[in-house]
Amino acid sequence: EIVLTQSPATLSLSPGERATLSCRASQSVTTHLAWYQQKPGQAPRLLIYATSSRATGIPARFSGSGSGTDFTLTISSLEPEDFAVYYCQQRSNWLCSFGQGTKLEIK
Amino acid sequence: QLQLQESGPGLVKPSETLSLTCTVSGGSISSGSYYWGWIRQPPGKGLEWIGSVFHDGSAHYNPSLKSRGTISVDTSANQFSLKVTSVTAADTAVYFCASEPLPAATTFDFWGQGTLVTVSS
């Protein structure tokens, strides 16, 4: 089973700042990595799939990069609605796993 | 676009079986364009994949469920279902159903709103 480790657990930033979230896999997931945003009381929303492709309707300030075992979600300039919990997710050999999440909070 | 809606009892007794259904609209389960998955989230915690099923009934499961989970499809009703046997308090969670577009089937693009299931006597 592939374990995904996200860092930091909590990130405190101000609107307008740049956010960099990390996801490290215990073994290579090639490029089959996705990122989700979850707000309280809501279902997760797909942001990024296949490491760097934005899902439909996702603003250009969200971008993803990486390969192998190290992946990054970058939010170029934080908007007030971006403060939420972010999860990475992979599927390999038909098994799926999520990272434990990074909480992005307002500083 | 797809819409998914979970339904089922919100309270299950310990040692009994949890049963949930996901109704899909805006698309056909039998189209073969998606895998269909269940994910859960214990209160205040992260997301855990339970398993996924194809329209032909073939399924894959998280080994952590230790064979307690079964996912099935009913193409005539455009639904897929989850059963978890021998539940304990650790199975208390919000349960989400979601779609996984093919050919890759590596992401969950549409989600239901989630339903809270509490395991308690």
Side-chain angles (χ1 to χ4, degrees):
Chain A
E1 179 189 354
I2 296 178
V3 176
L4 299 178
T5 302
Q6 293 186 240
S7 61
T10 303
L11 185 57
S12 300
L13 294 170
S14 300
E17 290 193 292
R18 181 183 186 92
T20 303
L21 288 67
S22 175
C23 177
R24 175 164 289 179
S26 59
Q27 56 186 282
S28 178
V29 297
T30 60
T31 58
H32 295 159
L33 191 103
W35 291 92
Y36 301 83
Q37 176 194 70
Q38 188 180 33
K39 296 181 180 179
Q42 296 184 15
R45 178 174 71 145
L46 177 65
L47 299 175
I48 300 287
Y49 65 95
T51 299
S52 60
S53 297
R54 276 189 303 277
T56 302
I58 301 304
R61 64 181 182 273
F62 291 90
S63 63
S65 63
S67 66
T69 60
D70 289 298
F71 299 86
T72 300
L73 173 69
T74 301
I75 311 172
S76 59
S77 178
L78 286 165
E79 297 287 342
E81 62 267 27
D82 297 338
F83 293 92
V85 179
Y86 291 83
Y87 294 95
C88 58
Q89 174 255 323
Q90 68 79 34
R91 180 187 282 283
S92 179
N93 294 326
W94 296 112
L95 298 182
C96 171
S97 57
F98 290 88
Q100 82 280 15
T102 289
K103 182 179 181 180
L104 180 55
E105 64 177 25
I106 299 176
K107 188 174 182 179
Chain B
Q1 66 180 29
L2 290 177
Q3 292 187 318
L4 295 89
Q5 177 68 57
E6 306 88 351
S7 59
L11 181 64
V12 181
K13 290 182 168 55
S15 80
E16 295 191 344
T17 296
L18 176 161
S19 295
L20 295 173
T21 295
C22 182
T23 301
V24 177
S25 57
S28 173
I29 283 184
S30 57
S31 71
S33 298
Y34 288 88
Y35 260 81
W36 306 95
W38 287 97
I39 300 102
R40 68 182 180 181
Q41 185 171 38
K45 296 188 178 181
L47 301 166
E48 179 185 33
W49 174 70
I50 299 170
S52 300
V53 68
F54 197 44
H55 70 91
D56 63 0
S58 57
H60 304 273
Y61 299 99
N62 189 328
S64 69
L65 261 69
K66 295 181 171 53
S67 302
R68 295 190 299 124
T70 302
I71 302 175
S72 59
V73 293
D74 181 348
T75 54
S76 63
N78 222 32
Q79 296 175 331
F80 61 105
S81 299
L82 169 69
K83 292 187 187 301
V84 180
T85 61
S86 305
V87 297
T88 69
D91 295 305
T92 293
V94 175
Y95 285 75
F96 297 99
C97 59
S99 56
E100 302 173 69
L102 288 168
T106 55
T107 58
F108 300 96
D109 59 352
F110 293 103
W111 294 65
Q113 65 186 24
T115 187
L116 175 63
V117 178
T118 301
V119 178
S120 175
S121 55

